[in-house]
Amino acid sequence: MTTSSGATSALSALLERYRAGLLRIVRLLGSGLLRYESEEDLVQGIHLHALRVAEHFQDQGEKAFRGWILRVARQYIAHRHRYWSALRRNPGEVRRLSTFASKGTALARHPVSPATGPVTSAARREEFALAVKAIAVLLPRDQRLVRWMCEGASVEEIASRLGLTVDAAARAKRRAVERLRAAFEALSRRAGIRSRLA
């Protein structure tokens, strides 16, 4: 199958027709992801991934399409599992990037507090859950930048991965953190976390 606009439109129509099937696949294979992303977001991600790899699809009937889209969905869901697993390996850094929204606030001080105990642990888990939700609403490039930062990638490494100059990568990194913190602040206000941690 070529990637002409007509072929892409035909594949898009097939994907829309099979949306209910993709929702079933997401519920079956992606249940662990639903803490971080909605079913609809995952289905949309599968659609976009399918369109990106459309050159590997040959229209040989509905049964062949179902087999192909199942493989595509598995690839995408496996990728999202790896993504969130990488973030979970460094929850402190995820919280740090998300919660230093305004210096001097109780919420900003909390992640580096040495205190432990049930209340502190619960608050940190709640912060991490909110941070993960904030990451999920970012654009894909910002999500990648946040993951790389959590993995300790230097600005030079990030520049190389994105094909940017070091200065441009530093700006992209700074903007990604700003957008992450803005999303975290909005979610925090909605959840009322700031008043509980103050």
Side-chain angles (χ1 to χ4, degrees), residues 62-82:
E62 190 169 335
K63 184 177 179 181
F65 170 74
R66 284 199 306 268
W68 179 80
I69 195 60
L70 178 59
R71 289 192 299 277
V72 169
R74 283 179 170 154
Q75 288 170 358
Y76 181 77
I77 289 169
H79 163 73
R80 298 310 289 168
H81 275 297
R82 288 193 300 272

Side-chain angles (χ1 to χ4, degrees), residues 54-158:
E55 69 272 10
H56 300 296
F57 172 67
Q58 294 180 350
D59 193 353
Q60 297 176 336
E62 190 169 335
K63 184 177 179 181
F65 170 74
R66 284 199 306 268
W68 179 80
I69 195 60
L70 178 59
R71 289 192 299 277
V72 169
R74 283 179 170 154
Q75 288 170 358
Y76 181 77
I77 289 169
H79 163 73
R80 298 310 289 168
H81 275 297
R82 288 193 300 272
Y83 176 85
W84 293 114
S85 293
L87 290 179
R88 284 197 307 271
R89 285 195 291 273
N90 200 351
E93 184 64 10
V94 173
R95 285 180 15 252
R96 186 189 70 78
L97 286 172
S98 304
T99 58
F100 281 112
S102 54
K103 291 181 180 177
T105 65
L107 185 58
R109 288 194 304 269
H110 182 74
V112 295
S113 168
T116 56
V119 175
T120 303
S121 296
R124 287 178 178 170
R125 282 195 302 274
E126 186 174 5
E127 280 179 1
F128 178 69
L130 281 172
V132 163
K133 288 180 182 177
I135 292 167
V137 303
L138 299 177
L139 292 171
R141 190 172 89 153
D142 285 344
Q143 289 187 13
R144 287 197 301 273
L145 283 162
V146 169
R147 178 169 59 86
W148 293 338
M149 283 183 267
C150 289
E151 292 169 351
S154 68
V155 70
E156 291 81 10
E157 289 174 291
I158 290 171

Side-chain angles (χ1 to χ4, degrees), residues 26-75:
V26 162
R27 287 168 189 153
L28 180 66
L29 302 178
S31 58
L33 296 172
L34 298 179
R35 290 175 288 174
Y36 313 120
E37 303 181 62
S38 71
E39 291 177 352
E40 282 300 322
D41 285 342
L42 288 169
V43 167
Q44 186 62 28
I46 293 167
H47 276 211
L48 293 173
H49 183 54
L51 292 171
R52 281 194 296 269
V53 299
E55 69 272 10
H56 300 296
F57 172 67
Q58 294 180 350
D59 193 353
Q60 297 176 336
E62 190 169 335
K63 184 177 179 181
F65 170 74
R66 284 199 306 268
W68 179 80
I69 195 60
L70 178 59
R71 289 192 299 277
V72 169
R74 283 179 170 154
Q75 288 170 358

